[in-house]
């Protein structure tokens, strides 16, 4: 999975994003969901979405940008 950004109306839902990008649920990480990138300025309507690599290639200009790497975030060093 990779991350893409997509511009949608403020308050958009995952279902609206799927329709806008013409993607089936199977190609989207529905557990990750549609994430508002800047909650302090929701009027921008910029959201993050995890999709399969093939879906990211197909969405092209319909998405706002990406694909972006989505590395696993883990602690560095032993727990203290």
């Amino acid at each position: 999975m990779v991350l893409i950004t997509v511009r949608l109306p403020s308050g958009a839902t995952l279902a609206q994003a799927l329709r806008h990008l013409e993607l089936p649920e199977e190609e989207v990480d529905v557990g990750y969901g549609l994430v508002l990138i800047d909650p302090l300025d929701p009027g921008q309507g910029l959201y993050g979405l995890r999709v399969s690599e093939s879906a990211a290639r197909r969405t092209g200009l319909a998405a706002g940008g990406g694909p972006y790497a989505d590395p696993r975030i883990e602690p560095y060093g032993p727990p203290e």
Side-chain angles (χ1 to χ4, degrees):
M1 294 277 185
V2 296
L3 288 172
I4 61 170
T5 56
V6 60
R7 282 206 188 274
L8 297 165
S10 183
T13 65
L14 180 58
Q16 290 170 325
L18 295 177
R19 280 193 303 275
H20 176 73
L21 297 170
E22 299 178 1
L23 291 174
E25 280 189 15
E26 296 79 34
E27 293 192 276
V28 176
D29 184 345
V30 294
Y32 185 87
L34 184 66
V35 179
L36 182 61
I37 291 180
D38 188 356
L40 297 177
D41 189 6
Q44 287 187 41
L46 191 59
Y47 294 86
L49 186 64
R50 275 184 93 214
V51 298
S52 69
E53 290 185 32
S54 61
R57 283 192 299 273
R58 283 196 324 276
T59 58
L61 296 176
Y68 303 104
D70 188 18
R72 182 178 174 99
I73 298 174
E74 298 177 325
Y76 179 76
E80 295 181 5

